[in-house]
Amino acid sequence: MLLVPRWVLFSSGCAPVLLIGGWAISAALEGSGYDPVTQTISVLAAYGASGSWVMTGAFLALGVCHLLTAWGLRAAAAAGRVALAGGGVAALAVAMVPAPTSGGSLGHGSVAAVGFTLLALWPVLAATAGSTTPWALRPLPSFAATSVMVAGAVWFLVEMHRHGMAGVAERVVTAMQSLWPFVVVLSCLRHRAVRGERDARLSS
């Protein structure tokens, strides 16, 4: 049984493309009234936003991508796969509970916070030990990925509190979180290819 089927490369690779493409197109549709430096991505999906349908669709697609990747990434530890799948569900929920046109929303904020947390923790929860483990699933790289994402989330909270570059901070964090599954899948497929070549040499 393949620990990581090749189709997972598609689901994990589409995640960052869809997310970044979604916020770029939505911001263009919103026009000069939207400031990507200080305003969050959620504003683009809010009720009444010109590009809300694009950003909402991007959140939905992102959630499906994470769910599919978690399902197929059998090389990762079960806890990490569950956390990644939970992040996918949170992305779907963010789409279903958009931010209001003005002010805050407890429901939207709570769902977004859960998604941020799960997607930040999944790398370290997915880690497995052993010399046969793909490098992106080894403890040290996994811990480093989680640490960077947690630091990014703290940066985002600080910028939100001081009404600073919240939009920039959120984009950096969410881009990292959407890209890491793709990095892990690439690592797993590369590891499998190298092992296959080594086994073929030994058997010849």
Side-chain angles (χ1 to χ4, degrees):
M1 181 177 67
L2 295 177
L3 290 178
V4 182
R6 286 193 175 275
W7 60 260
V8 184
L9 194 63
F10 178 77
S11 63
S12 60
C14 283
V17 174
L18 290 167
L19 177 63
I20 295 171
W23 79 47
I25 295 171
S26 299
L29 292 173
E30 196 66 21
S32 59
Y34 176 77
D35 181 5
V37 174
T38 61
Q39 292 181 286
T40 65
I41 302 168
S42 296
V43 173
L44 295 171
Y47 292 115
S50 300
S52 62
W53 59 278
V54 176
M55 198 65 244
T56 298
F59 282 141
L60 291 171
L62 177 67
V64 171
C65 285
H66 284 335
L67 285 169
L68 289 174
T69 301
W71 179 34
L73 194 58
R74 294 187 288 268
R81 295 173 66 193
V82 170
L84 178 58
V89 173
L92 297 176
V94 164
M96 297 293 98
V97 188
T101 52
S102 61
S105 167
L106 180 61
H108 177 83
S110 299
V111 169
V114 169
F116 261 108
T117 302
L118 290 173
L119 291 176
L121 292 178
W122 94 266
V124 75
L125 293 175
T128 57
S131 58
T132 60
T133 301
W135 75 266
L137 286 174
R138 293 174 185 172
L140 185 58
S142 300
F143 178 77
T146 288
S147 298
V148 170
M149 292 177 195
V150 169
V154 171
W155 176 35
F156 171 62
L157 292 174
V158 169
E159 294 297 336
M160 283 285 290
H161 179 72
R162 62 186 290 269
H163 303 290
M165 298 189 300
V168 173
E170 184 185 33
R171 281 164 174 77
V172 170
V173 178
T174 54
M176 287 191 299
Q177 291 182 336
S178 66
L179 184 60
W180 185 249
F182 180 63
V183 173
V184 172
V185 172
L186 280 178
S187 170
C188 293
L189 293 177
R190 174 61 181 165
H191 183 77
R192 189 178 74 193
V194 170
R195 287 193 64 187
E197 292 173 1
R198 184 170 61 245
D199 292 344
R201 286 196 302 268
L202 291 174
S203 62
S204 60

